[in-house]
């Protein structure tokens, strides 16, 4: 992803507008990431992807059954302690 300062963005807006059609452009202010400019198509894709997520409570029963039957690899057994 291209990274530019806010000042450079202001000076060369048209150039970065075209760049954002190809890939997101990260705009920084005082060296910190502040904004990302992207094409409307990329934004639409991201928002549609976010809507496709589902809550665990809404999972189909077949998925819930599979999770309940699943077993963890013994090498990760120590992770159970984190749940206590």
């Amino acid at each position: 992803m291209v990274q530019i300062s806010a000042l450079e963005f202001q000076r060369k807006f048209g150039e970065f507008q075209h760049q954002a059609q190809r890939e997101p452009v990260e705009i920084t202010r005082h060296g910190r990431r502040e904004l990302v400019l992207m094409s409307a198509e990329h934004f639409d894709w991201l928002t549609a992807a976010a809507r496709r997520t589902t809550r665990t409570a809404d999972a189909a029963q077949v998925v819930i059954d599979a999770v309940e039957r699943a077993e963890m690899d013994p090498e990760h057994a120590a992770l159970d302690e984190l749940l206590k």
Side-chain angles (χ1 to χ4, degrees), residues 7-41:
L7 185 60
E8 185 178 2
F9 177 72
Q10 288 174 333
R11 282 193 226 144
K12 300 178 182 178
F13 174 76
E15 179 182 325
F16 293 113
Q17 185 179 18
H18 291 294
Q19 180 74 26
Q21 293 296 328
R22 294 186 299 278
E23 65 177 325
V25 176
E26 188 174 86
I27 303 165
T28 62
R29 185 176 208 134
H30 302 293
R32 291 185 301 270
R33 181 178 187 226
E34 189 160 293
L35 300 166
V36 176
L37 179 67
M38 66 181 73
S39 69
E41 182 181 337

Side-chain angles (χ1 to χ4, degrees), residues 45-81:
W45 181 88
L46 286 174
T47 54
R51 281 190 216 109
R52 284 192 298 269
T53 61
T54 56
R55 297 176 335 136
T56 305
D58 297 334
Q61 189 59 47
V62 66
V63 173
I64 295 170
D65 293 342
V67 171
E68 287 175 346
R69 287 191 311 271
E71 294 183 18
M72 189 166 46
D73 192 309
E75 72 181 78
H76 302 297
L79 296 176
D80 286 336
E81 292 300 315

